[in-house]
Amino acid sequence: LSEKRKDDKKKMQFVATCLFGLEKQLGEEIDALGLKRLETIDGRVTFEGKPDDAARANINLRTAEHVFIKVGSFTATTFTELFDGTKALQWEEYIGRKDAFPVKGHAIKSTLFSVPDCQSIIKKAVASRLGEKYRSEWLSEDGDKYQIEFFIFKDVATLMIDTSGTPLHKRGYRPAAGAAPLRETLAAAVALTSRPREDVLLWDPFCGSGTIAIEAAMIMTNRAPGLFRSFAGECFSCLPGDSWDEAREEAKSKINAKSGFEVYASDIDASVLEYAKANAERAGVATHIKIFKKNALTIEKPDRRGTIVCNPPYGERMMTEKEVRELYGKMGRVFSALSPWQIYVLTSCEDFERLYGRRADKKRKLYNGMIPCNLYQFFKPVKK
């Protein structure tokens, strides 16, 4: 592989992907790592850094789904342009003679829309380039795996290599979950939006497997979300091999073990609380989370400042639509009694404000997987 790619000081471009609606928070996280944002579009942020920043981004970004090396971009309205543009890129600077390079991707609002055809063309183009560079008619592909991902948007093809492997929302602390698990990256974004503070109790009364509570505690103790998992890029020759261990050590040194932040995580279903307890232990934040059984409609305000952050049932996978509508009405009455506490509710119900009995002070469009949701934010005191 080219020596210049192994130069730790050489700039590389990366693409971090995220759920729709999380681009702003992801960009702010990239800024906090001292990296330079180049472009933001729906679901992805392109940024610049050094090769060792691939490790730092994967280990530290809370709202990203994947971190890719950007190999290049070009206009492609025909398969010939797609083949030629792909072949012109310097794949040999990343992929070795024996390495595997499967291809997958998406095409949106583009002349080229057949994903299988695009996959086939890109695969042939990369193989042609590598075959010529390595002077070999046959590539064994029995070495390390370099997952190539293409994204064709408005006839511009972007070719990337995935450094994450398993999606970043899979932190490793949640092998089991309740009936309707919330993706960890979205839970982190919701927790961040609620502005958690050391002296303010955060309570999730619909905690399920504890994801919101755990992500909030990880944020407040400054525990990097990818600290205890592995990544595809750890075997890449184009990235410094010691950068992953260095990034982990750097992240560990920043953990705030003395944090006094406290979270309540309660649920009416006692069986999911066992998952929540085990998940909190694996995440290293069990000492910050009080997990207990309680009906969310019977909670009372402790004598302290607090914030409710929750993801109640939508009627998509849990409860009937009628039951959910009744629940939201009762929630409105119970949660209003907690004023001046702030309330943050994530739900897909478009009629939530009317059922809850109060207009949100702010509403934010988000996606829980493919389900469009709103994060309803109530931060003004209830008028008596």
Side-chain angles (χ1 to χ4, degrees):
L1 294 178
S2 171
E3 288 301 318
K4 65 180 181 179
R5 277 294 181 195
K6 296 180 181 179
D7 181 354
D8 290 0
K9 296 182 180 179
K10 182 175 176 62
K11 293 293 184 181
M12 297 178 75
Q13 287 192 14
F14 300 96
V15 176
T17 58
C18 64
L19 295 172
F20 290 145
L22 304 190
E23 298 85 0
K24 183 176 183 293
Q25 283 172 312
L26 175 56
E28 290 170 349
E29 286 194 89
I30 290 169
D31 293 344
L33 288 176
L35 304 174
K36 181 181 178 182
R37 272 191 273 176
L38 301 176
E39 181 187 33
T40 301
I41 62 174
D42 287 350
R44 60 194 60 219
V45 180
T46 303
F47 63 98
E48 185 179 73
K50 301 186 300 246
D52 58 6
D53 287 322
R56 296 180 63 235
N58 272 293
I59 289 169
N60 290 284
L61 294 177
R62 299 183 189 280
T63 57
E65 293 295 324
H66 286 269
V67 175
F68 298 93
I69 296 170
K70 180 180 176 181
V71 182
S73 293
F74 52 88
T75 299
T77 57
T78 67
F79 288 130
T80 298
E81 288 178 336
L82 182 61
F83 182 93
D84 292 344
T86 300
K87 188 174 179 179
L89 299 176
Q90 297 178 320
W91 295 101
E92 70 280 2
E93 298 220 339
Y94 307 92
I95 302 171
R97 182 190 297 270
K98 295 183 178 182
D99 294 331
F101 50 98
V103 178
K104 63 181 180 180
H106 306 277
I108 301 171
K109 298 180 181 178
S110 298
T111 305
L112 301 178
F113 59 85
S114 171
V115 169
D117 286 337
C118 291
Q119 283 178 294
S120 178
I121 294 295
I122 291 169
K123 179 72 175 183
K124 289 176 182 177
V126 176
S128 178
R129 170 87 184 199
L130 293 177
E132 290 178 8
K133 292 297 178 179
Y134 293 130
R135 298 180 182 178
S136 175
E137 293 184 1
W138 183 69
L139 300 168
S140 65
E141 293 198 58
D142 56 3
D144 293 324
K145 177 182 174 182
Y146 288 72
Q147 178 67 59
I148 295 173
E149 180 137 346
F150 66 87
F151 179 61
I152 307 176
F153 180 63
K154 294 183 178 179
D155 295 328
V156 174
T158 299
L159 279 294
M160 306 170 290
I161 297 173
D162 186 9
T163 69
S164 302
T166 302
L168 296 178
H169 72 262
K170 296 188 177 180
R171 320 290 206 208
Y173 67 72
R174 197 178 73 174
L182 183 68
R183 191 174 292 193
E184 292 90 331
T185 43
L186 180 56
V190 171
L192 284 166
T193 302
S194 73
R195 297 179 298 112
R197 285 143 286 172
E198 280 281 326
D199 58 342
V200 178
L201 172 70
L202 188 148
W203 190 347
D204 179 1
F206 297 95
C207 76
S209 57
T211 312
I212 290 176
I214 291 169
E215 291 293 327
M218 289 175 68
I219 289 166
M220 292 304 294
T221 56
N222 205 29
R223 290 176 182 269
L227 198 52
F228 301 109
R229 54 157 284 173
S230 59
F231 306 91
E234 292 186 64
C235 67
F236 288 7
S237 299
C238 58
L239 300 175
D242 57 359
S243 62
W244 300 89
D245 287 339
E246 290 176 358
R248 287 188 178 95
E249 288 306 312
E250 177 188 40
K252 288 178 183 177
S253 71
K254 294 182 177 179
I255 293 174
N256 178 13
K258 297 180 180 179
S259 172
F261 182 67
E262 186 178 17
V263 184
Y264 282 4
S266 59
D267 201 284
I268 197 171
D269 182 358
S271 64
V272 298
L273 297 180
E274 293 305 311
Y275 292 133
K277 290 175 183 177
N279 293 341
E281 286 285 351
R282 279 187 288 266
V285 294
T287 57
H288 296 274
I289 306 176
K290 181 180 179 182
I291 300 172
F292 54 97
K293 181 181 178 181
K294 193 165 186 66
N295 185 332
L297 301 180
T298 65
I299 65 174
E300 296 178 351
K301 181 173 64 175
D303 187 21
R304 59 187 295 189
R305 295 173 64 198
T307 301
I308 294 289
V309 185
C310 63
N311 173 224
Y314 302 166
E316 296 279 348
R317 290 168 290 185
M318 295 174 61
M319 303 179 70
T320 66
E321 184 177 345
K322 181 182 178 182
E323 288 172 332
V324 167
R325 295 173 74 87
E326 291 176 353
L327 170 66
Y328 290 167
K330 293 175 182 177
M331 277 172 56
R333 293 188 288 275
V334 172
F335 288 2
S336 291
L338 301 176
S339 184
W341 280 27
Q342 296 183 357
I343 311 292
Y344 295 81
V345 182
L346 179 71
T347 175
S348 65
C349 179
E350 292 290 343
D351 207 19
F352 174 77
E353 289 168 299
R354 187 184 68 79
L355 295 170
Y356 187 78
R358 183 180 170 194
R359 182 177 290 278
D361 299 309
K362 190 174 182 180
K363 187 166 66 171
R364 181 181 172 195
K365 192 77 170 181
L366 295 170
Y367 285 80
N368 186 8
M370 297 302 294
I371 303 172
C373 301
N374 282 298
L375 178 59
Y376 296 91
Q377 304 169 50
F378 305 89
F379 37 77
K380 296 177 182 177
V382 175
K383 294 180 179 179
K384 300 293 184 180

